[in-house]
Amino acid sequence: MTLLFRYIFQRHARLLLIIMSLGLGLYLLTELVERVDIFIEADAGLLLIIKYFGARLPSIMAQILPAVFLLATVVVLCLMGHSRELTALHAGGISFTTIASVLVACGVFWGAVQFASSQFIGVQGARYADRVWQEQVRKRDLSRRVIKDVWFAENGWTVSVESLRADGYGSGLRAFHIVPGRSEIDVMVAAKSVQGSEAGWTASEAVCSYPGEFREEKTGTFSLPIRQDPAIFFSTSMVSLQQLPLWQLDDAIRQLGDAGSNVEGLRTVWHGKIAYAVSLVVMALLGAAIVSWSSNIYLAVGASMAGTFLMYAMTMFGESLGQRGILPPVMAAWGPDALLLAAACLRLYIVSIRR
């Protein structure tokens, strides 16, 4: 780790955390003002409010981190320019391209932080905050919610449940297994109730039929070799499929694809989760390109805000086109990063030639 890297990283990180704190503070203040009446009606104490907003902080941070990173990059470079530090570095044989590469390394680090915040801590925090809001503020029992006529397929089994609760308890189970490569049903199961989870599904008071053997038997319990998470079926009301962690979203895409559903929109979201973290590397180069155009802090900050707006607009537009099937998922998700990266690299290449 070079002295230049440590200096730029520490200065950049200090400014980034300050801007992040201001952004989070403004966001939370706005949210609190909008929801204060609901908290008062629910007789929510200060601890409950802290738990709710504290659980949401990681996902909010992950959402605004690319914009904060770009702004911090631009301000750091402008301050270094005004204090003649960039001039001194150039005189010492350190090119602007080297400085940009250091910022790229910073982008890699903060991109990993963004990915961890959004896919690990952020998802769990958002789920916890949703439970706090629904159960302790809105006084709703989420575990008792019921959906009807659930169908899914996994590991050669086709399963239907007449009614299913969020806690995994269901009634009216019907399931059959098809022999691989033979299109023949070898087992059919009917049960009054079933308890499902990611660890497995267990049917109670089950009746198993074996068509090939012309045999039927009653069993107390019957374990189905499936690992479907019942919470996925409630995703539209709790945590949408698009908000699932990357690995769970991948499983959901596979399961829904096997069941014949259109998953192009979810594939776009899957790629978008990775592309959004990688966008911090793009923002590092974009920030360097902006400052190479103008080191005036007011112009540079204005250009960075315009770049942030452009990135978010292209991301939303690309995601919309991907979900409609107009663009392939890879192009829809990675297109904004590719366009901004090309523009930034072109600007930095022109600057390097001139110097």
Side-chain angles (χ1 to χ4, degrees), residues 11 15 74-85 297:
R11 191 169 181 180
L15 186 57
V74 167
V75 173
V76 164
L77 290 178
C78 287
L79 292 177
M80 291 179 67
H82 283 280
S83 62
R84 305 291 187 237
E85 291 177 279
I297 191 168

Side-chain angles (χ1 to χ4, degrees), residues 126-131 134-135 141-143 145 165-167 230-241 243-244:
R127 288 179 175 175
Y128 179 76
D130 185 70
R131 288 200 304 270
Q134 296 291 343
E135 296 181 348
D141 187 359
L142 299 182
S143 65
R145 290 177 306 155
R165 291 200 319 232
D167 60 2
I232 290 180
F233 301 110
F234 295 83
S235 59
T236 55
S237 54
M238 289 184 65
V239 179
S240 69
L241 287 174
Q243 293 174 311
L244 291 174

Side-chain angles (χ1 to χ4, degrees), residues 242 262 264-266 268-269 318-327:
Q242 298 181 4
N262 185 354
E264 291 302 297
L266 293 178
T268 302
V269 174
E319 183 176 325
S320 176
L321 294 179
Q323 291 180 348
R324 295 180 182 180
I326 299 176
L327 287 179

Side-chain angles (χ1 to χ4, degrees), residues 66-347:
V68 172
F69 182 88
L70 177 59
L71 186 58
T73 300
V74 167
V75 173
V76 164
L77 290 178
C78 287
L79 292 177
M80 291 179 67
H82 283 280
S83 62
R84 305 291 187 237
E85 291 177 279
L86 292 180
T87 303
L89 290 172
H90 294 158
I94 299 176
S95 66
F96 196 76
T97 303
T98 302
I99 299 173
S101 65
V102 173
L103 292 171
V104 167
C106 295
V108 172
F109 172 80
W110 288 107
V113 172
Q114 192 280 336
F115 187 81
S117 298
S118 61
Q119 302 304 308
F120 295 90
I121 307 173
V123 171
Q124 298 301 324
R127 288 179 175 175
Y128 179 76
D130 185 70
R131 288 200 304 270
V132 169
W133 179 259
Q134 296 291 343
E135 296 181 348
Q136 300 185 45
V137 178
R138 290 298 192 177
K139 310 300 183 182
R140 298 168 182 168
D141 187 359
L142 299 182
S143 65
R144 309 302 296 185
R145 290 177 306 155
V146 176
I147 55 176
K148 302 291 185 179
D149 297 326
V150 177
W151 286 80
F152 65 93
E154 182 181 343
N155 293 334
W157 285 88
T158 299
V159 181
S160 71
V161 183
E162 292 181 1
S163 64
L164 182 67
R165 291 200 319 232
D167 60 2
Y169 177 82
S171 61
L173 171 75
R174 298 290 185 275
F176 61 86
H177 182 263
I178 298 178
V179 180
R182 295 173 56 186
S183 301
E184 296 179 1
I185 298 176
D186 59 348
V187 183
M188 294 188 297
V189 180
K192 291 185 177 181
S193 63
V194 64
Q195 182 65 49
S197 69
E198 290 183 289
W201 288 54
T202 302
S204 301
E205 300 182 57
V207 177
C208 300
S209 301
Y210 303 90
E213 303 176 10
F214 301 98
R215 180 169 60 89
E216 180 179 285
E217 65 179 6
K218 296 182 178 180
T219 60
T221 59
F222 184 87
S223 297
L224 297 167
I226 54 179
R227 299 293 184 268
Q228 180 67 266
D229 184 2
I232 290 180
F233 301 110
F234 295 83
S235 59
T236 55
S237 54
M238 289 184 65
V239 179
S240 69
L241 287 174
Q242 298 181 4
Q243 293 174 311
L244 291 174
L246 197 67
W247 56 93
Q248 290 185 3
L249 179 60
D250 185 66
D251 290 339
I253 290 173
R254 177 178 52 80
Q255 293 170 4
L256 292 173
D258 293 340
S261 299
N262 185 354
V263 294
E264 291 302 297
L266 293 178
R267 292 188 189 278
T268 302
V269 174
W270 189 91
H271 285 283
K273 290 177 180 290
I274 303 176
Y276 200 73
V278 174
S279 69
L280 275 90
V281 176
V282 178
M283 289 301 182
L285 293 172
L286 183 61
I290 290 174
V291 175
S292 71
W293 165 71
S294 174
S295 60
N296 183 299
I297 191 168
Y298 301 105
L299 291 176
V301 168
S304 67
M305 294 178 66
T308 301
F309 175 79
L310 182 62
M311 185 204 71
Y312 283 123
M314 289 194 300
T315 299
M316 294 177 62
F317 184 65
E319 183 176 325
S320 176
L321 294 179
Q323 291 180 348
R324 295 180 182 180
I326 299 176
L327 287 179
V330 174
M331 184 180 298
W334 290 94
D337 281 357
L339 292 174
L340 292 176
L341 179 62
C345 289
L346 178 60
R347 172 62 191 176

